[in-house]
Amino acid sequence: MKVVIVGGVAGGASAAARIRRLDEQAEITVFERSGYISYANCGLPYYIGGTIREESKLTLQTPASFWNRFRVKMNVRHEVTSVNPKEKTVTVKNLETGAVFTENYDKLILSPGAKPVMPNIGGIADDRIFTLRTVEDTLKIKRYVDERKPKSAVVVGGGFVGIEIAENLRGLDMDVTLVEATEQLMASFDTDMAAFIHAEIRKNGVKLMLGHTVESFAGTDCGIDVSLNDAPALRADMVVMAIGAAPETALAKAAGLELGIKNSIVVNDRMETSEPDIYAVGDAVQIKNFMTEEDTHIPLAGPANKQGRIAADNICGIDSRYTGGQGSAIIKVFDMTAAVTGMNEKTANALGLSTDKVILSPMSHASYYPGGKMLTLKVLFEKETYRLLGAQIVGFDGVDKRIDVLATAMRAGMKAHELAELDLAYAPPYSSAKDPVNMAGYIIENMKKGVVKQWYYEDIETLAYDEEVTLLDTRTAAEYNGGHIEGCINIPVDELRERIEELDRTKPVYIICRSGLRSYIASRMLMGYGFDAYNFAGGMILYEAVHNDKALNRQSTPCGMAVN
């Protein structure tokens, strides 16, 4: 059996190695257009910033190492220019010599990846405007930074690559502005959770221009002028475009393969395309969303590796199925970590789902053990069925393990309130006896049983001016005096029983504290006295993050970067 693979990196290289492990006699040939067959794509920004110091660390395998271990013919700087499904051949161009030749196959795997989106606007061809997708892109930026010593940069796009390159350029003491067309960074997060990401980025000196699009570039001797749609132009020594990546499917289209969302390649759960004996994997393919069963495009390394393995299994006669992706992802944002799995509220609402949520801000580990830090979890679930729909976490320690627990619970089909039953490891340096994931389950269980009712940030505008309700802040007087929601009265939770007559029993009471714990205790206390009480989800930690973010977003022109 002869297998030809178009493209290496995550999907293609994984498929090649798996085929060899399953079939020692198979002839396996890989054609990769770039000069690197298997590299750490997600590590590229950190080489530019100097966290990863050695260029060699970016390369996971070389053609020689792949041949030595797997006897796979890895051909770099070779571009497959066409596929002929009827004749079962591919046409290949050697980019070093210009030679063109034909290669036959029994099975073909397409793993062409994706290409950076570049808008068709004026000045985009300036050699000081970069993209970051391949090792070659990385080396080009690194060379420019080392040789030209730029003092300022504009990064366009607020997704994974945009945030990571902004952080790394800022770490080189550059004046960095991050421009994003929408009102928030990281579209997979809801606006309330994205507020924490914005705050961390601003704290570290990166200027945010949210809700602005780039209209054109103009190169000058002094730098690049970046014209925006409704704000003064910016000037910088370099620009990095990171507005997304589009599936690289021109080859598949020309071969007559069926295409779907964003022109991605349509595959079934065996990773088979519309043409017999042709498989496709990675960033170029359309897959099923595990949570919604709808077609989607999720260009992440984890799914690509799994898909490469599944395609290899099926080629070698093992029935293997890809059950879909749920978009589990994590990102380092300076000192903060942000992670997500499943759908967010925006998506759930667009699908017409009836949802509820819990937001809590517990410590990353036992509060009495030194070094604990606050993290904020948001768990989304379906109201009637309590089906887990998604989760988002921001914090500084323990974010990764909590998002993985929640992603696993979702994959296993657990109900939201069943999170309370998880038997999770505990020791003071790592967690609390009530792990934050358990705590989310406890809250949902309480909601299910009617023990607690919640209110949310989006309710504030209505409730703050409603004379028929009472807003109650149960923090200490010192905390309250340091900043509070307009219209809230202050009765510390430990004084509430003695001062309960200060509250009107005929009015619902909407309660808030710093993290949600004291307000929960207060709500149970008031319900015991016959009050209709509601606990604020996320506490003042969430309220302040969102409130401050909204205020700062209105001040959208960063100081010191406008063109004179």
Side-chain angles (χ1 to χ4, degrees):
M1 177 176 64
K2 183 175 182 179
V3 182
V4 169
I5 302 174
V6 180
V9 197
S14 295
R18 177 67 172 172
I19 292 170
R20 174 58 71 227
R21 290 193 295 269
L22 296 175
D23 186 345
E24 186 62 26
Q25 307 307 316
E27 181 182 348
I28 310 167
T29 302
V30 179
F31 295 110
E32 167 59 42
R33 183 171 52 189
S34 76
Y36 299 85
I37 197 66
S38 179
Y39 56 88
N41 186 284
C42 297
L44 300 181
Y46 301 99
Y47 175 68
I48 295 169
T51 301
I52 299 172
R53 297 187 177 277
E54 299 174 40
E55 179 186 331
S56 61
K57 298 294 185 183
L58 297 175
T59 305
L60 304 178
Q61 292 279 0
T62 65
S65 67
F66 235 99
W67 174 258
N68 291 337
R69 178 163 295 180
F70 298 110
R71 289 300 188 267
V72 171
K73 298 174 186 176
M74 289 287 188
N75 302 280
V76 296
R77 301 288 295 157
H78 281 67
E79 181 178 8
V80 174
T81 58
S82 66
V83 176
N84 189 326
K86 291 183 179 179
E87 296 183 6
K88 301 184 78 170
T89 62
V90 297
T91 302
V92 186
K93 181 177 182 179
N94 184 325
L95 299 178
E96 297 287 353
T97 67
V100 177
F101 59 93
T102 299
E103 190 88 8
N104 67 295
Y105 65 83
D106 296 311
K107 304 289 183 180
L108 177 66
I109 300 177
L110 300 179
S111 180
K115 59 184 177 181
V117 174
M118 291 291 279
N120 185 22
I121 57 177
I124 193 75
D126 193 294
D127 62 7
R128 292 165 292 183
I129 300 175
F130 304 90
T131 59
L132 182 57
R133 183 71 185 178
T134 66
V135 173
E136 286 89 347
D137 294 336
T138 307
L139 299 180
K140 186 178 179 182
I141 297 174
K142 179 69 170 172
R143 192 180 310 115
Y144 181 85
V145 168
D146 290 345
E147 293 175 359
R148 303 287 291 274
K149 302 292 191 296
K151 300 296 183 185
S152 59
V154 168
V155 177
V156 184
F160 288 95
V161 175
I163 290 175
E164 289 167 349
I165 192 63
E167 174 183 340
N168 280 276
L169 295 179
R170 180 64 188 143
L172 297 173
D173 292 326
M174 288 193 207
D175 192 351
V176 179
T177 299
L178 181 54
V179 180
E180 165 57 40
T182 66
E183 296 294 335
Q184 70 167 78
L185 306 177
M186 297 299 293
S188 54
F189 288 76
D190 286 314
T191 54
D192 49 6
M193 299 298 282
F196 293 94
I197 299 173
H198 298 170
E200 180 68 11
I201 290 173
R202 289 185 174 114
K203 186 182 79 172
N204 283 277
V206 173
K207 304 172 184 70
L208 293 184
M209 294 284 286
L210 303 177
H212 297 280
T213 56
V214 174
E215 294 190 329
S216 65
F217 299 100
T220 71
D221 292 340
C222 299
I224 303 171
D225 291 349
V226 184
S227 295
L228 304 178
N229 60 326
D230 56 357
L234 307 174
R235 175 170 291 164
D237 296 327
M238 63 180 292
V239 173
V240 179
M241 297 296 295
I243 60 174
E248 182 71 272
T249 56
L251 191 66
K253 182 178 181 181
L257 273 62
E258 182 183 354
L259 303 182
I261 294 173
K262 299 180 181 179
N263 284 323
S264 57
I265 303 170
V266 174
V267 293
N268 61 18
D269 58 0
R270 292 164 53 90
M271 308 313 299
E272 296 169 322
T273 70
S274 57
E275 287 288 338
D277 297 319
I278 300 180
Y279 297 75
V281 301
D283 292 357
V285 305
Q286 171 181 293
I287 63 172
K288 291 291 184 182
N289 184 309
F290 178 77
M291 304 306 302
T292 67
E293 291 296 322
E294 293 193 335
D295 294 329
T296 189
H297 178 240
I298 302 178
L300 294 171
N305 277 281
K306 294 182 183 73
Q307 293 158 15
R309 178 185 176 92
I310 288 167
D313 282 354
N314 286 294
I315 285 172
C316 294
I318 298 174
D319 185 18
S320 189
R321 309 279 174 158
Y322 185 66
T323 57
Q326 60 198 71
S328 299
I330 192 166
I331 184 172
K332 175 183 179 293
V333 185
F334 291 95
D335 294 328
M336 176 179 278
T337 302
V340 62
T341 187
M343 70 180 81
N344 57 27
E345 251 188 300
K346 292 174 290 187
T347 301
N349 291 337
L351 292 172
L353 297 176
S354 177
T355 65
D356 211 336
K357 61 194 172 190
V358 294
I359 306 171
L360 58 156
S361 299
M363 296 292 287
S364 58
H365 64 242
S367 59
Y368 60 84
Y369 189 90
K373 295 181 179 179
M374 195 75 70
L375 52 79
T376 299
L377 295 84
K378 179 175 184 177
V379 179
L380 186 70
F381 58 95
E382 202 167 23
K383 274 187 177 179
E384 298 300 323
T385 67
Y386 287 86
R387 177 171 66 112
L388 282 167
L389 299 176
Q392 300 160 51
I393 311 179
V394 293
F396 298 90
D397 288 323
V399 171
D400 52 345
K401 68 177 181 178
R402 272 68 186 228
I403 202 69
D404 285 343
V405 169
L406 288 162
T408 303
M410 289 168 57
R411 179 67 61 158
M414 291 182 64
K415 301 296 185 183
H417 54 87
E418 291 175 338
L419 296 175
E421 301 173 15
L422 290 174
D423 191 352
L424 304 175
Y426 158 63
Y430 305 107
S431 184
S432 301
K434 296 178 181 178
D435 187 87
V437 174
N438 292 136
M439 291 173 65
Y442 294 145
I443 297 172
I444 297 167
E445 186 178 58
N446 282 339
M447 294 169 65
K448 184 174 185 288
K449 296 177 178 178
V451 173
V452 67
K453 293 183 286 188
Q454 292 200 119
W455 65 295
Y456 306 100
Y457 182 88
E458 54 266 30
D459 300 325
I460 288 174
E461 289 187 7
T462 301
L463 294 174
Y465 302 99
D466 189 346
E467 296 181 356
E468 300 304 314
V469 305
T470 300
L471 297 181
L472 174 63
D473 189 322
T474 58
R475 295 175 298 158
T476 65
E479 289 175 293
Y480 177 83
N481 292 332
H484 57 268
I485 299 172
E486 183 179 355
C488 268
I489 63 173
N490 177 223
I491 303 178
V493 65
D494 293 335
E495 300 176 14
L496 186 55
R497 287 186 180 88
E498 287 72 28
R499 299 174 57 183
I500 204 163
E501 295 306 322
E502 296 178 25
L503 300 175
D504 186 340
R505 293 176 183 270
T506 67
K507 294 181 179 180
V509 184
Y510 291 82
I511 316 166
I512 192 168
C513 71
R514 181 170 181 267
S515 68
L517 176 58
R518 285 174 287 179
S519 53
Y520 164 63
I521 294 170
S523 70
R524 288 303 307 150
M525 193 182 303
L526 290 177
M527 289 174 77
Y529 281 93
F531 285 84
D532 185 16
Y534 298 79
N535 185 27
F536 185 82
M540 285 296 292
I541 292 169
L542 178 81
Y543 173 83
E544 289 176 349
V546 179
H547 183 75
N548 293 341
D549 186 55
K550 288 179 179 292
L552 289 170
N553 286 347
R554 289 191 289 268
Q555 304 169 15
S556 58
T557 302
C559 299
M561 288 292 287
V563 176
N564 295 321

